[in-house]
Amino acid sequence: MNIHVAQAMLDRESRNQLLSERAERLFAMQKEDGHLVFDLEADTTIPAEYVLLKHFLGEIDAERERRIGLYLRAEQSDDGSWPLFKAGAGDLSATVKAYWALKLIGDAVDAPHMARARGFILSKGGAARANVFTRLTLALFGHIPWRGTPTIPVEVMHLPLWFPFHISKIAYWSRTVMIPLLVLCAMKARAANPTGIGLSELFLIPPERVKHYQINPTGSMVGQLFLGLDKLLRALDPFMPGRIRRSAIRKAEAFVLEHLNGEDGLGAIYPAMANAVMMFRTLGYPDDHPAMATARRAIELLMVERGDQIWFQPCVSPVWDTALAAHALLEAGHRDDPRLVRMLDWLKDRQILDHKGDWKVRRPDVRPGGWAFQYANPDYPDVDDTAVVAMAMHRQGDPKYAEAIERACEWIVGMQSSNGGWGAFEPENEHFYLNSIPFADHGALLDPPTVDVTARCVGLLAQVDRERFAEPIARALAWIRREQEADGSWFGRWGANYLYGTWSVLVALNAAGVDLKEPWVQKAVRWLKAQQRSDGGWGEGLETYEAGVRGHAIESTASQTAWALLGLMSAGEVDSPEVARGLAWLERAPREEGPRWQERLYTGTGFPRVFYLKYHGYAAFFPLWAVARYQSLQASNARTVAWGM
């Protein structure tokens, strides 16, 4: 080992002190009932949309708007735009919504920050070129004609399962967002907009004179056919029988009511919740109606106060945060700590055992057994969360978790897609032609199998019983190998990006007993080593989700460095100089007063290219986990990771 690297690393006693301090600070975040939850931050779109929602409803809360305005202004870039993630390029749609919200809040259009934002918007073609969801909101306020939005007839609620489009053939997040939106579009809903403020200054030509709003999102022949269908449906819309439309609206309304999910909200995600509230208002629900009151309360529970600023989370992540914290603390030697057991007990009580969610359309005979990402979301348990929770319980080893682990494995096996991979929420969600409909310009309409989720499922099944689950593991490994990139890495769907995907796979391959000396595995190891930065850490920008962009990084981050270290150690590289340098970087990296290492950049992914996340807990869990794993492997003669994650 390089003498300078050795000197930079902590000795064993100092490392134990670091681990003890970080673990105690993480335990200090624990709630009274045992769980942990950190803030989950997206871009400025969510708080801006909250302002727009309130004005749709005709409500103005001046003090709250003032505090949201502080957050929005603080996140603006020097060029006047708002990005989708910290230090990212400006995004047209995010900038339109932030500008619009600030104008409603009362910012003068000739204020310097507003002038810069307006200049950016106009340089990108104006608000007419914003994405579908932004244009739908503009139409709700009457700022553009309805022909500026894709045609999404509510009558699709009546389509049979065999039809090329069916509501079950799109991802759960698309489904819960789209169904209340179908009602809003069918009824040509109109915002109250009590200030009467317009946005004409954001258009290069008057909105009513714009000829072509819709685009072909994939540039394919199928996309051109869907554009033609969009025009046909728009022409036929006035002739749709009222009886059919009314029954379709009732069916959409019934879906929302059935899936309302109490104060955890429709789909437990902000966009769906907001659309549900607007749908209820458009259908005439009074504010004191139980469904309306519940839906509105769900939104308010997403609010975060940071000093004098207010912003809103896209959802909450208590199950994910608690499970990852448990893994880090298990690695740090707290297997029998009563506080750790309380975490797992809290998780055990939230397993979904008696409700079949929307996934039952493709898997009617599979018993439920998963966990949601949020406090409650029984219609949409998360495959990834389920694997991570069950692995933590299995590692802890108390027999009281045996039944929960067994049910989780049974459900996971049942959710495997026919190609061998796993999606996040549903199997067989691979109707890729639907990505070409004009509504799908965000590119995230579907929930197909992904390498990172599949790797986690392999890790669980291999950790619990590699022989019993040999068949689904073999199918998954074959799929993972087919998905390997030419440079040896793997794409990370739910975390940034190739570092996340490659870490996920290497840990799973080790758990599954794959020969780590195989050329294809070593190719991944070489790629991971090659991404190490000159300071010893690892970092990867969210720009790598853009076509043709690889290796982009502004700086090393604590969570991504931890992923790389965990991946390399699982591949048998614990004594490599790359691991030593990475560990030295992690040990000397700045840390906050709480459990987190300092980390300003986003490393989480909602939807590639359109929606990114900062998991505030990642910089607490993963660095602790990586340092603890190094310490435990150094103390072991085997130098082999024994767990599936």
Side-chain angles (χ1 to χ4, degrees), residues 223-250:
Q224 286 301 117
L225 291 173
F226 277 124
L227 278 178
L229 179 61
D230 182 86
K231 293 178 181 178
L232 176 62
L233 290 172
R234 190 175 305 281
L236 293 175
D237 185 75
F239 305 102
M240 185 62 63
R243 178 179 55 81
I244 295 176
R245 173 148 296 180
R246 288 189 296 273
S247 67
I249 289 173
R250 287 194 299 272

Side-chain angles (χ1 to χ4, degrees), residues 162-176:
W162 56 261
F163 201 77
F165 181 91
H166 186 270
I167 210 69
S168 73
K169 293 181 178 179
I170 58 177
Y172 112 72
W173 55 82
S174 302
R175 188 178 314 137
T176 53

Side-chain angles (χ1 to χ4, degrees), residues 75-326:
E75 297 299 315
Q76 188 177 22
S77 299
D78 291 341
D79 66 357
S81 70
W82 278 267
L84 296 177
F85 52 89
K86 189 75 71 177
D91 180 77
L92 172 60
S93 298
T95 303
V96 168
K97 287 183 175 177
Y99 175 98
W100 186 1
L102 287 172
K103 189 175 181 182
L104 291 175
I105 288 169
D107 288 20
V109 295
D110 56 355
H113 67 288
M114 296 290 277
R116 292 198 310 275
R118 187 166 59 254
F120 175 85
I121 292 167
L122 295 175
S123 74
K124 299 297 181 181
R129 299 273 67 84
N131 64 24
V132 164
F133 288 117
T134 304
R135 284 186 278 122
L136 282 163
T137 309
L138 289 167
L140 288 171
F141 278 76
H143 296 328
I144 66 171
W146 277 100
R147 65 177 179 81
T149 67
T151 307
I152 41 175
V154 70
E155 288 78 12
V156 300
M157 295 300 298
H158 288 317
L159 294 175
L161 185 60
W162 56 261
F163 201 77
F165 181 91
H166 186 270
I167 210 69
S168 73
K169 293 181 178 179
I170 58 177
Y172 112 72
W173 55 82
S174 302
R175 188 178 314 137
T176 53
V177 168
M178 181 183 286
I179 288 178
L181 196 56
L182 294 174
V183 176
L184 295 172
C185 292
M187 299 182 69
K188 300 295 186 288
R190 190 63 177 262
N193 194 19
T195 66
I197 286 175
L199 291 174
S200 60
E201 72 274 18
L202 297 187
F203 294 85
L204 294 176
I205 62 175
E208 63 274 10
R209 288 172 49 196
V210 175
K211 291 184 178 180
H212 303 293
Y213 279 98
Q214 314 312 327
I215 64 166
N216 177 347
T218 58
S220 65
M221 182 66 71
V222 174
Q224 286 301 117
L225 291 173
F226 277 124
L227 278 178
L229 179 61
D230 182 86
K231 293 178 181 178
L232 176 62
L233 290 172
R234 190 175 305 281
L236 293 175
D237 185 75
F239 305 102
M240 185 62 63
R243 178 179 55 81
I244 295 176
R245 173 148 296 180
R246 288 189 296 273
S247 67
I249 289 173
R250 287 194 299 272
K251 195 167 185 178
E253 178 187 8
F255 175 94
V256 172
L257 291 170
E258 181 184 342
H259 292 76
L260 199 55
N261 192 32
E263 291 188 351
D264 293 282
L266 176 64
I269 52 176
Y270 175 87
M273 297 179 197
N275 285 350
V277 169
M278 290 189 288
M279 183 198 79
F280 288 144
R281 173 58 60 88
T282 301
L283 290 172
Y285 282 56
D287 286 341
D288 60 357
H289 188 284
M292 174 65 101
T294 299
R296 297 194 65 172
R297 175 62 179 159
I299 291 173
E300 296 303 319
L301 291 174
L302 297 176
M303 186 180 74
V304 174
E305 298 183 77
R306 180 192 292 163
D308 201 27
Q309 296 178 357
I310 281 179
W311 53 279
F312 285 78
Q313 301 176 96
C315 62
V316 291
S317 53
V319 170
W320 187 241
D321 289 347
T322 304
L324 291 175

